[in-house]
Amino acid sequence: MLIVKKFGGTSVADKERIFNVAKRCIEDYNKGNEVVVVLSAMGKMTDVLLQQAKDINPNASKRELDMLLTTGEQTSVALMAMAMDSLGVPAVSLNAFQVAMNTTANYGNARLKRIDTDRIKHELSNRRIVIVTGFQGINKYDDYTTLGRGGSDTTAVALAAALRADACEIYTDVDGVYTADPRIVKDARKINEITYDEMLELASLGAGVLHNRSVEMAKKYGVQLVVRSSLNNSEGTIVKEDAKLERMFVSGVACDRNTARIAVTKLEDKPGVAFKLFNHLANHNINVDIILQSVGREGTKDISFTVDQDVAKEAVQIIENHRTGSLKCESVDVEENVAKVSVVGAGMMSNPGVAAKMFEALYNANVNIKQICTSEIRVTVLIQDSDVDKAMNAVHDAFELSE
Ligand code: ADP
Ligand code: ASP
Ligand code: MG
């Protein structure tokens, strides 16, 4: 069997954990399997590097940031190879250049395009464990890129697809995918099986246990995933096309604090205004989520929408740049202390009343809703970020998602 095993930052945070991971991989290797390991940077290394960059230059270029951040993953793969070697098992570490992990050109949030598998296959055929840097790629300028925070999951799934691996295992610091972040909702329940679609919604709406692009890619290439703990042997969660019907009609609750709301007031109430507004943002690769447009009044209307908090300033600047031209308006305001809370579940389609039940739970918990957005399999509300824990627990309780 060819097995891809990915370990996150906490799983390789120190010497003891590195040896723990090394031993888990060697177990599979000794059974005769081919083993490819994908690692994240140790512990909170990526955050530490980002802070260092900010201290030196708060406006550092995205290219230099990627150059810096990729060192985190390079450190962990080299140390892991040394650990395995000291245990008497041949191992080799490879970075994005050595593998040739080709991505789109954009720094900070690049997409994987094509992976060469020759070098990895060659190393595997020499009976080596191959340890690959997660999160990083190279672009057409021969520069390092990164895949966005949490992107090592995507590296692992992409490798599993490219190598036609028999298994892709994502090891982390929780026992699997839960009905809500177990750090916020103490009695959240572990889900045994979940569909790609539901997992994709949860991940996109803030359940950071899997990078959303990794789920997108797993679905596209039919890579079945197992999410499990690196610290124990419990079974984990299987992510696949059709999950067992034991599921409730709501599979989980997620929150996203990396959210900001931008309100643009008194735009002209005429055709093309929304198009121009969102087109300017799209041209700068800014994703927009919940959109609200007011009823037109006296020839003007207001539009507000949410974006990721880390691009809010850029978004405001883009709109400001067009205020004297195509986007005449009275004001552009940004509110950062907001968060999204969502319920997700494929069963929602055939169960009316999910939204009402969620709103009732929030009302009972005295949480005010600022904005609402629904799709076939999710309901999202925008609330004050200080209300997140209360809201998550109230909604989780209302849908009886605990054991
Ligand atoms: P890694 O470094 O292993 O990639 P992450 O921190 O990226 O780990 O992801 C694991 C974390 O995701 C957990 O510690 C947990 O707090 C958080 N999380 C958020 N939502 C969920 C969920 N629905 N199920 C499990 N974990 C979740
Ligand atoms: N080290 C990167 C991050 O912290 C990638 C990852 O952990 O998946 O975002
Ligand atoms: Mg992660």
Side-chain angles (χ1 to χ4, degrees), residues 215-227:
V215 186
E216 212 172 76
M217 196 171 286
K219 179 179 161 74
K220 185 167 170 193
Y221 295 102
V223 177
Q224 185 168 312
L225 304 179
V226 182
V227 181

Side-chain angles (χ1 to χ4, degrees), residues 6-11 40-41 43-44 150 152-153 170-184 191 199 202 206-210 227 253-255:
K6 179 260 168 179
F7 295 86
T10 31
S11 304
S40 296
K44 297 247 168 287
S152 297
D153 300 328
I170 309 289
Y171 289 85
T172 183
D173 55 3
V174 281
D175 287 356
V177 179
Y178 280 71
T179 48
D181 186 339
R183 287 181 213 265
I184 299 176
I191 301 169
M199 191 63 236
L202 279 176
V209 62
L210 282 178
V227 181
V253 186
C255 66

Side-chain angles (χ1 to χ4, degrees), residues 10 23 45 48 144 158 203 206 213 231 249 299 316 335 354:
T10 31
K23 283 175 191 156
M45 195 55 181
V48 172
Y144 269 125
R213 292 223 185 112
L231 306 166
F249 62 94
V316 169
E335 196 181 348
V354 169

Side-chain angles (χ1 to χ4, degrees), residues 63 66-67 97 101-107 110 113 137-145:
R63 180 194 181 276
D66 280 357
M67 189 70 177
F97 270 101
M101 294 253 184
N102 298 286
T103 69
T104 52
N106 53 320
Y107 305 100
K113 286 199 324 198
I138 48 171
N139 68 13
K140 62 183 176 193
Y141 308 115
D142 267 358
D143 281 341
Y144 269 125
T145 53

Side-chain angles (χ1 to χ4, degrees), residues 31-95:
K31 286 180 192 152
N33 299 303
E34 295 179 305
V35 180
V36 175
V37 185
V38 175
L39 298 183
S40 296
M42 293 167 68
K44 297 247 168 287
M45 195 55 181
T46 308
D47 293 323
V48 172
L49 291 168
L50 278 172
Q51 191 53 51
Q52 279 179 341
K54 213 171 159 189
D55 285 349
I56 298 269
N57 178 355
N59 300 315
S61 76
K62 288 184 177 170
R63 180 194 181 276
E64 297 307 331
L65 280 172
D66 280 357
M67 189 70 177
L68 178 71
L69 293 188
T70 48
T71 63
E73 270 67 18
Q74 191 148 331
T75 305
S76 32
V77 293
L79 291 174
M80 185 60 69
M82 294 175 200
M84 289 180 181
D85 182 52
S86 80
L87 295 170
V89 173
V92 59
S93 63
L94 299 174
N95 66 17

Side-chain angles (χ1 to χ4, degrees), residues 114-390:
R114 188 171 39 81
I115 301 180
D116 280 359
T117 51
D118 293 356
R119 175 77 188 266
I120 297 179
K121 283 184 177 153
H122 173 74
E123 301 291 353
L124 288 173
S125 68
N126 285 330
R127 279 303 283 154
R128 285 186 168 143
I129 295 183
V130 181
I131 310 159
V132 182
T133 46
F135 181 50
Q136 58 180 246
I138 48 171
N139 68 13
K140 62 183 176 193
Y141 308 115
D142 267 358
D143 281 341
Y144 269 125
T145 53
T146 59
L147 308 180
R149 297 304 306 268
S152 297
D153 300 328
T154 302
T155 310
V157 175
L159 276 174
L163 291 163
R164 300 187 202 294
D166 301 290
C168 183
E169 304 166 351
I170 309 289
Y171 289 85
T172 183
D173 55 3
V174 281
D175 287 356
V177 179
Y178 280 71
T179 48
D181 186 339
R183 287 181 213 265
I184 299 176
V185 179
K186 293 288 169 250
D187 57 358
R189 181 176 49 85
K190 198 189 89 193
I191 301 169
N192 293 326
E193 293 191 352
I194 188 166
T195 63
Y196 292 126
D197 288 336
E198 286 170 299
M199 191 63 236
L200 187 55
E201 286 284 333
L202 279 176
S204 306
L205 294 166
V209 62
L210 282 178
H211 192 226
N212 61 355
R213 292 223 185 112
S214 72
V215 186
E216 212 172 76
M217 196 171 286
K219 179 179 161 74
K220 185 167 170 193
Y221 295 102
V223 177
Q224 185 168 312
L225 304 179
V226 182
V227 181
R228 52 189 303 199
S229 169
S230 66
L231 306 166
N232 62 45
N233 275 319
S234 72
E235 274 190 7
T237 302
I238 298 174
V239 188
K240 58 182 189 174
E241 190 62 48
D242 298 304
K244 280 207 201 92
L245 284 169
E246 52 151 307
R247 296 170 300 110
M248 322 246 191
F249 62 94
V250 164
S251 56
V253 186
C255 66
D256 189 351
R257 289 189 165 91
N258 180 22
T259 301
R261 174 163 73 169
I262 295 176
V264 190
T265 62
K266 294 211 170 156
L267 284 152
E268 291 171 279
D269 192 13
K270 64 176 193 187
V273 170
F275 160 67
K276 285 175 193 152
L277 172 60
F278 295 117
N279 194 46
H280 289 312
L281 296 170
N283 287 341
H284 289 81
N285 274 322
I286 292 181
N287 265 328
V288 170
D289 192 24
I290 313 176
I291 299 174
L292 187 74
Q293 178 177 313
S294 70
V295 177
R297 206 178 293 123
E298 293 162 6
T300 68
K301 61 188 171 193
D302 306 336
I303 295 182
S304 62
F305 55 93
T306 61
V307 293
D308 284 352
Q309 205 168 102
D310 34 28
V311 296
K313 286 203 176 70
E314 191 184 344
V316 169
Q317 193 55 53
I318 292 165
I319 302 168
E320 292 284 356
N321 291 346
H322 293 91
R323 265 180 85 166
T324 49
S326 56
L327 287 178
K328 290 194 184 59
C329 60
E330 187 175 273
S331 63
V332 186
D333 298 311
V334 57
E335 196 181 348
E336 296 208 325
N337 48 356
V338 292
K340 282 184 283 192
V341 169
S342 310
V343 290
V344 170
M348 254 184 222
M349 277 185 263
S350 46
N351 280 282
V354 169
K357 194 168 185 165
M358 181 184 192
F359 303 155
E360 184 187 15
L362 293 169
Y363 165 53
N364 289 335
N366 197 24
V367 173
N368 189 38
I369 301 172
K370 293 170 178 282
Q371 225 151 300
I372 300 169
C373 170
T374 65
S375 82
E376 278 188 321
I377 68 166
R378 68 137 155 168
V379 181
T380 300
V381 294
L382 190 74
I383 60 172
Q384 200 70 23
D385 61 1
S386 51
D387 281 339
V388 163
D389 287 17
K390 190 162 77 171

